[in-house]
Amino acid sequence: MAVDISQFHEMFFEECKDGLEIMETGLLQLSSDPEKKTVINDIFRAAHSIKGGAGTFGFQSVSEFTHDLETLLDLVREGKCKITQPMIEVMLQSVDCLRTMIDQLRNHQELDCSKSNSVSVALRAILNQAQGKNCERNDALVAQDETAENNDKFSYQIKFKPSQDIFRSGNDPYRIIRELSELGRLTSKVILNDLIDYEKINSTECYVSWEFLLEGDALDKNRIEDVFEWVIDESEIDIKAVSQSIPAVIEHKEQTKENKQVKSVVSEVESVVQKSAVEKLPAELANNKIDSKADNSKSSDSRSIRVNIDKVDALINMVGEMVITQSMLSQLSKDLSQDYHDVISGLAQLAANTRELQETVMSLRMMPLSFAFNRFPRLVRDLGNQLNKKVNLIVSGEQTELDKTVLEKLTDPLTHIIRNAMDHGLETVEERLAAGKSEEGLLELKAYYEGGSVVIRVSDDGRGLNDEKIRKKAEKIGLIREGDVLSQDEIKELILRPGFSTADQISDLSGRGVGLDVVKQNIKSLNGTLDMQSEQGKGTTFTIRLPLTLAIVDGQLIRVHDSIYVVPLVAISESLQIIPGNINRLAGSVDVYRLRNENIPVVNLSDLFGFNRSAKSGNALSMMVVVESNDKKIGLVVDELLDQQQVVIKSLETNYQSVKGVSGATILGDGTVAMICDIHDIFSMSVLKPEPSSGRNDTSDKFLAA
Amino acid sequence: MSLQTIQSSTVVDSFAADHKLSDENINQYLTFFLAGEEYGVDILSVQEIRGWEKTTVIPNSPDYVKGVINLRGTIVPIVDLRLRFALPVLEYGPLTVVIVLMVKDKTGRNKVVGIVVDAVSDVYDIDHLKVKNPPDLEYSVGNTYISGLYNVENKMVILLDINTLLIKATSLNVVDVEN
């Protein structure tokens, strides 16, 4: 074909990804409910799509691999064989193989066939077994193929009668014949029995049919069938293997009625799935489709479109610009006299519209957490089998939505936490029974909105953190001295350190001690927090808190000397006027403010940010903004509190690099740039090294408590 | 070609119209003055030329990073080349020029950075075969950034490798002489 179809490859890969997910979810469902017909249909359709698409784009290995899977699914679908657990297992493995193959194709890598070959063999074995049990009619054909396959060489007799209007669907018998001839040595015989009078011939119709004999070594029936894939529903096709020991004769063999029935059912399914050809939809299949739609909460035909993410990002950027312009106009309008009240009210209306537009556009990038959660049932199942543990995974709140980039960065940390729960938290059946617990462990994955954040909780009813073990390990490594007592908080901190693990053995999954600190980092990079609660013997709960949006922040503008900064409102605990008498200088270097019954370290942003201002903090006219992070507070000295407004976060990393203490920049109403303070960084930047006598030589974020 | 302070960004168009660029070895360079010397940068990396405007300072940044400006909605860092080359500073005035360049970082991503120079000079067709290597002197900070020396009309133009110059300048990960 002259058209370059490689531009559609990406689309095909995306659709394969979706199809494989449907297959996997379906197979897992079948695992607990093997009779669900609609699920089987879904899986079959997905497999068939993938096979068809792969064939179109010339991805032979994918197409061939999927063919067996599809055949097996077809048999199950027609009730000709029952689905069993080993079957599901092999099919799940096939899905994995396909995933790998698609990835490799996507990255233009060499296909690694070792795994797929062994899975293929397993598939074939099951297929043969399933078909062997089957004493239905089409077995005659299959058996013949199999016996034929037992001989080393065999050829195929193919009868091909295209439908009269085959050309109308863009198909050309010659192309098909050409393709056929590439498979081996082709001898053909044209049958002109159906030719009508020359005067009456319509050149857009086909009146001929053929009989072929295809000879060669290692011919594959699947491959031959694939040649006819596009026309199988419009034409009569009969492919029969003959052993080469029998003299090859092209004969007219009557198609058995049963074969025709089987073929027509298969072709009807194909016509539904074939995307490009214009086919009429058999009413019967339309009914099937409606059934499955009612079942799925989210079918692939739902009202959505695929949009390139760059377009969405561009849209979000532009809306961000609009917000800036609109707030600039609002600011200018404050100076307008009341004569212009029409303009003023128009601008107020604009502000409301802009806010709504902004919210809607931000929601474009929101995706339900189910995208991250859907891999966990499989993971828990596999891990449970591997570790010999019985675990019931309950997922709730998966419809909770998050920004796409946040979601993508969340999957790794979540996976790690779940692995930890499976590996360390939950006990084996014997242990649980001995502890008086139920045989099956409970792993709960819950998501919900709270305030301006999304909360994700992973809780298990397993062993819980072993305080003593942790303490001992810390002592052993030398992090604490013998006999030091650790508070709950400190124990948690220890676990989150890189390299720390109380696992007796390093398993494949975990125990190396590299996991939880990376998890914490990942979550921190999303401006989120990770919290952990545990009770020995009862279980552990991890709580992740993430902000809902990335790009817009409600901020308090402050002035420190000549610079304007933005402090995120969520971090501000209170703002107050400094009473000079309440400031005490500790050990000559640290200022502390006495606020009610707390002592809050005082931080001067100019000093922190390296601006050479030596003004002593605590000027009577100064204000202090008390900010809080992880239950700790510090007070920022500012010269003036300015407006509170929503600011659009502009990245510093795009053209510069990330700056400690600053999470980004924003453009103010007058067009100048202001830095947005990163409160978490400011806390760690104002860390005071602990006194040497405490024996702790780590530099975690602890404050010198007064 | 006479010296001019060019305030618009049509320099590439007008020059291209006057000269035919048929030879593969010839690249066009925009040159500017800095402390009496003439330096050149590949004109394809020049995005625009602006006057100086007040920057917002970046916390804990080196002295040669003057800060960032708002360039039509993007945050762009401004580097003072005099300070970068450890030369004495000039006061900024209405004639101070900022050349906005597009450079590529290590991962191949495009970054927009502005440099403060004394004045813009000209655009030259530079034949790569005639570019000489800079002398191998150890002490000078500037050396790693100089891609070559070129003689034109009785003067010497110092060609800069701005990718190295600016990515190093705006990336504190690299241990630098000044730090």
Side-chain angles (χ1 to χ4, degrees):
Chain A
M1 284 201 268
V3 174
D4 172 25
I5 53 175
S6 60
Q7 53 182 306
F8 300 113
H9 283 177
E10 192 54 37
M11 203 154 64
F12 167 66
F13 292 140
E14 276 301 311
E15 287 177 8
C16 276
K17 193 163 151 244
D18 289 343
L20 285 171
E21 261 177 45
I22 293 176
M23 284 174 73
E24 189 176 56
T25 319
L27 285 168
L28 286 174
Q29 276 182 317
L30 276 184
S31 191
S32 37
D33 189 1
E35 297 297 316
K36 213 146 188 207
K37 211 152 199 286
T38 48
V39 174
I40 298 175
N41 281 334
D42 287 343
I43 304 176
F44 176 83
R45 264 206 301 277
H48 188 80
S49 274
I50 295 177
K51 195 196 97 167
T56 311
F57 291 105
F59 298 130
Q60 279 317 110
S61 29
V62 175
S63 173
E64 281 167 15
F65 184 85
T66 322
H67 186 93
D68 288 329
L69 191 55
E70 185 197 20
T71 316
L72 183 57
L73 286 165
D74 198 16
L75 289 175
V76 173
R77 202 172 65 107
E78 301 201 334
K80 290 191 179 138
C81 80
K82 274 217 171 336
I83 196 127
T84 64
Q85 290 296 337
M87 222 188 265
I88 295 184
E89 202 44 56
V90 172
M91 289 204 257
L92 279 173
Q93 285 177 11
S94 314
V95 170
D96 287 339
C97 276
L98 278 173
R99 274 215 180 98
T100 319
M101 276 199 253
I102 298 285
D103 274 335
Q104 287 169 338
L105 282 173
R106 209 176 198 161
N107 297 331
H108 304 289
Q109 287 168 339
E110 277 286 307
L111 284 183
D112 172 20
C113 297
S114 46
K115 187 103 205 292
S116 56
N117 281 343
S118 57
V119 176
S120 233
V121 166
L123 258 183
R124 288 250 171 88
I126 294 199
L127 188 59
N128 291 340
Q129 200 181 28
Q131 287 169 332
K133 279 194 216 157
N134 203 337
C135 39
E136 296 282 342
R137 302 144 290 179
N138 61 334
D139 240 26
L141 195 64
V142 175
Q144 195 174 9
D145 278 346
E146 284 178 41
T147 49
E149 275 174 47
N150 285 336
N151 301 335
D152 269 344
K153 289 187 184 185
F154 49 93
S155 2
Y156 285 92
Q157 282 178 349
I158 304 163
K159 191 166 168 274
F160 176 34
K161 183 175 189 323
S163 70
Q164 256 194 323
D165 51 5
I166 190 171
F167 294 115
R168 301 255 174 82
S169 56
N171 286 303
D172 180 7
Y174 280 133
R175 172 188 67 76
I176 294 170
I177 298 172
R178 239 196 328 271
E179 221 182 304
L180 209 53
S181 67
E182 285 169 16
L183 296 179
R185 202 172 65 248
L186 189 71
T187 324
S188 62
K189 176 176 160 191
V190 177
I191 304 191
L192 302 167
N193 299 355
D194 297 317
L195 260 188
I196 61 177
D197 289 347
Y198 282 127
E199 298 92 56
K200 301 209 186 101
I201 279 188
N202 182 340
S203 57
T204 61
E205 305 209 339
C206 179
Y207 304 98
V208 298
S209 63
W210 289 266
E211 277 176 13
F212 305 106
L213 177 64
L214 185 64
E215 293 168 288
D217 306 328
L219 287 176
D220 183 8
K221 182 161 188 263
N222 295 339
R223 189 66 194 88
I224 299 176
E225 280 176 4
D226 286 345
V227 170
F228 292 101
E229 196 164 22
W230 288 105
V231 298
I232 196 168
D233 34 276
E234 300 167 311
S235 331
E236 284 169 30
I237 300 170
D238 179 31
I239 304 172
K240 203 168 301 167
V242 279
S243 169
Q244 282 183 355
S245 52
I246 302 172
V249 167
I250 302 177
E251 301 174 34
H252 261 287
K253 276 246 157 84
E254 279 281 81
Q255 254 191 339
T256 60
K257 231 177 164 195
E258 292 87 355
N259 288 345
K260 226 172 163 180
Q261 253 183 343
V262 169
K263 285 251 147 52
S264 67
V265 168
V266 171
S267 65
E268 275 183 274
V269 174
E270 275 180 308
S271 71
V272 169
V273 168
Q274 225 71 290
K275 291 208 174 100
S276 56
V278 176
E279 323 265 359
K280 37 184 180 40
L281 202 64
E284 172 186 308
L285 272 146
N287 287 338
N288 275 349
K289 246 184 146 189
I290 293 169
D291 275 353
S292 59
K293 239 193 225 178
D295 209 66
N296 280 344
S297 55
K298 179 174 65 83
S299 78
S300 52
D301 293 4
S302 64
R303 292 164 46 83
S304 66
I305 54 172
R306 277 192 191 288
V307 178
N308 190 313
I309 201 169
D310 290 335
K311 288 188 190 171
V312 177
D313 282 341
L315 180 63
I316 292 182
N317 275 345
M318 263 181 278
V319 170
E321 294 300 319
M322 231 185 84
V323 168
I324 295 175
T325 314
Q326 177 267 316
S327 65
M328 187 179 78
L329 283 175
S330 290
Q331 187 152 351
L332 291 172
S333 77
K334 287 194 187 129
D335 298 329
L336 283 179
S337 77
Q338 276 306 309
D339 294 340
Y340 291 99
H341 64 89
D342 286 340
V343 176
I344 295 175
S345 60
L347 284 174
Q349 181 73 17
L350 180 65
N353 289 344
T354 313
R355 199 182 334 271
E356 210 184 309
L357 176 65
Q358 185 193 85
E359 279 170 17
T360 314
V361 162
M362 291 309 292
S363 75
L364 277 184
R365 283 173 53 105
M366 305 284 265
M367 283 180 23
L369 270 169
S370 51
F371 277 90
F373 287 1
N374 60 10
R375 72 195 56 201
F376 293 137
R378 175 80 193 272
L379 180 66
V380 169
R381 183 181 186 275
D382 289 345
L383 283 180
N385 286 341
Q386 196 180 337
L387 298 167
N388 234 331
K389 295 182 181 173
K390 285 205 173 146
V391 180
N392 182 13
L393 174 70
I394 300 186
V395 179
S396 61
E398 65 268 24
Q399 291 310 311
T400 314
E401 288 191 345
L402 262 196
D403 184 280
K404 184 180 199 288
T405 35
V406 176
L407 193 66
E408 281 168 3
K409 290 195 188 160
L410 197 57
T411 21
D412 279 346
L414 267 182
T415 310
H416 191 92
I417 293 178
I418 290 202
R419 284 201 132 119
N420 261 6
M422 292 295 295
D423 204 15
H424 300 304
L426 290 160
E427 317 96 320
T428 59
V429 174
E430 297 86 40
E431 273 179 60
R432 286 186 71 87
L433 290 174
K437 295 184 183 174
S438 61
E439 182 175 80
E440 200 177 51
L442 181 65
L443 187 55
E444 231 185 313
L445 187 53
K446 203 162 153 182
Y448 52 91
Y449 291 122
E450 192 177 76
S453 319
V454 175
V455 181
I456 301 167
R457 264 204 347 227
V458 182
S459 34
D460 66 70
D461 66 348
R463 300 189 186 107
L465 288 180
N466 189 330
D467 291 354
E468 213 19 61
K469 236 178 159 187
I470 293 172
R471 233 194 53 75
K472 285 227 156 64
K473 188 66 182 275
E475 236 178 66
K476 196 161 147 212
I477 311 184
L479 285 175
I480 57 173
R481 284 178 313 191
E482 215 182 292
D484 266 358
V485 169
L486 296 176
S487 70
Q488 272 301 313
D489 279 355
E490 286 159 335
I491 292 184
K492 285 186 221 164
E493 294 256 351
L494 278 176
I495 301 219
L496 296 175
R497 291 171 64 84
F500 193 95
S501 169
T502 54
D504 302 312
Q505 300 158 306
I506 298 178
S507 73
D508 201 21
L509 295 179
S510 45
R512 293 174 204 278
V514 290
L516 279 179
D517 68 305
V518 175
V519 169
K520 193 165 179 212
Q521 278 302 101
N522 283 355
I523 293 177
K524 195 188 135 195
S525 75
L526 296 169
N527 282 332
T529 53
L530 175 65
D531 201 40
M532 192 173 32
Q533 296 280 62
S534 170
E535 207 182 320
Q536 196 159 351
K538 295 259 179 75
T540 317
T541 302
F542 279 88
T543 310
I544 300 175
R545 246 197 196 90
L546 298 166
L548 266 182
T549 57
L550 290 178
I552 308 235
V553 89
D554 285 313
Q556 167 73 55
L557 265 58
I558 58 175
R559 185 175 62 78
V560 180
H561 301 301
D562 301 329
S563 314
I564 299 187
Y565 298 100
V566 179
V567 179
L569 274 180
V570 286
I572 299 183
S573 160
E574 62 189 281
S575 306
L576 48 100
Q577 181 121 25
I578 293 183
I579 302 169
N582 284 358
I583 296 198
N584 296 100
R585 185 146 267 207
L586 296 182
S589 57
V590 179
D591 285 337
V592 161
Y593 191 83
R594 204 169 52 248
L595 178 68
R596 299 187 287 274
N597 54 351
E598 282 180 275
N599 284 307
I600 303 177
V602 171
V603 167
N604 191 308
L605 272 182
S606 300
D607 294 338
L608 212 62
F609 286 166
F611 304 146
N612 300 327
R613 308 281 182 163
S614 52
K616 192 169 180 296
S617 54
N619 189 330
L621 297 171
S622 289
M623 305 279 297
M624 186 164 85
V625 174
V626 180
V627 291
E628 132 169 53
S629 168
N630 279 342
D631 294 327
K632 297 198 176 77
K633 291 186 180 169
I634 57 174
L636 301 174
V637 178
V638 304
D639 291 317
E640 197 182 339
L641 282 178
L642 304 167
D643 282 336
Q644 278 183 10
Q645 65 176 80
Q646 262 194 340
V647 296
V648 177
I649 303 180
K650 292 273 180 186
S651 156
L652 268 182
E653 283 106 335
T654 317
N655 288 325
Y656 185 58
Q657 60 182 57
S658 71
V659 177
K660 200 148 174 101
V662 168
S663 64
T666 186
I667 297 177
L668 300 174
D670 59 358
T672 58
V673 179
M675 298 285 156
I676 303 173
C677 299
D678 182 327
I679 298 301
H680 197 276
D681 280 355
I682 289 179
F683 267 80
S684 50
M685 278 162 81
S686 44
V687 153
L688 311 148
K689 282 233 181 333
E691 303 288 322
S693 61
S694 77
R696 300 183 196 187
N697 50 7
D698 60 313
T699 51
S700 53
D701 10 343
K702 292 200 190 313
F703 284 98
L704 196 62
Chain B
M1 292 269 166
S2 58
L3 296 173
Q4 312 167 35
T5 304
I6 302 167
Q7 293 299 333
S8 77
S9 50
T10 57
V11 60
V12 181
D13 304 332
S14 60
F15 194 76
D18 296 344
H19 293 66
K20 276 194 286 195
L21 298 167
S22 50
D23 199 351
E24 274 172 10
N25 287 324
I26 294 188
N27 284 9
Q28 286 189 309
Y29 276 73
L30 173 74
T31 62
F32 56 87
F33 285 110
L34 195 71
E37 297 295 335
E38 195 166 348
Y39 294 85
V41 288
D42 190 338
I43 205 165
L44 292 174
S45 56
V46 177
Q47 184 175 294
E48 63 191 85
I49 300 173
R50 295 165 73 84
W52 163 261
E53 69 192 71
K54 191 166 183 300
T55 58
T56 302
V57 194
I58 301 175
N60 295 323
S61 54
D63 59 352
Y64 50 81
V65 178
K66 301 305 291 179
V68 287
I69 59 167
N70 165 18
L71 191 72
R72 295 184 298 280
T74 323
I75 307 290
V76 173
I78 306 290
V79 172
D80 185 322
L81 270 195
R82 272 177 172 262
L83 284 172
R84 186 79 184 101
F85 290 160
L87 297 165
V89 256
L90 275 191
E91 226 178 86
Y92 296 150
L95 296 178
T96 309
V97 174
V98 173
I99 303 179
V100 180
L101 300 162
M102 172 106 74
V103 294
K104 267 198 178 3
D105 73 357
K106 280 176 249 124
T107 64
R109 276 209 326 244
N110 282 335
K111 292 192 178 229
V112 180
V113 182
I115 53 174
V116 183
V117 302
D118 294 349
V120 171
S121 171
D122 215 325
V123 178
Y124 296 128
D125 279 339
I126 291 189
D127 186 349
H128 266 233
L129 302 174
K130 298 209 185 115
V131 174
K132 299 188 182 52
N133 283 328
D136 216 353
L137 299 169
E138 261 185 40
Y139 67 91
S140 162
V141 153
N143 260 5
T144 35
Y145 319 127
I146 298 177
S147 65
L149 305 171
Y150 191 74
N151 286 330
V152 64
E153 296 169 14
N154 279 336
K155 48 188 176 166
M156 187 183 75
V157 174
I158 307 165
L159 302 179
L160 290 175
D161 173 3
I162 39 156
N163 279 327
T164 321
L165 174 68
L166 291 177
I167 295 305
K168 267 197 163 172
T170 58
S171 159
L172 296 174
N173 296 324
V174 180
V175 174
D176 211 359
V177 180
E178 280 97 29
N179 290 342

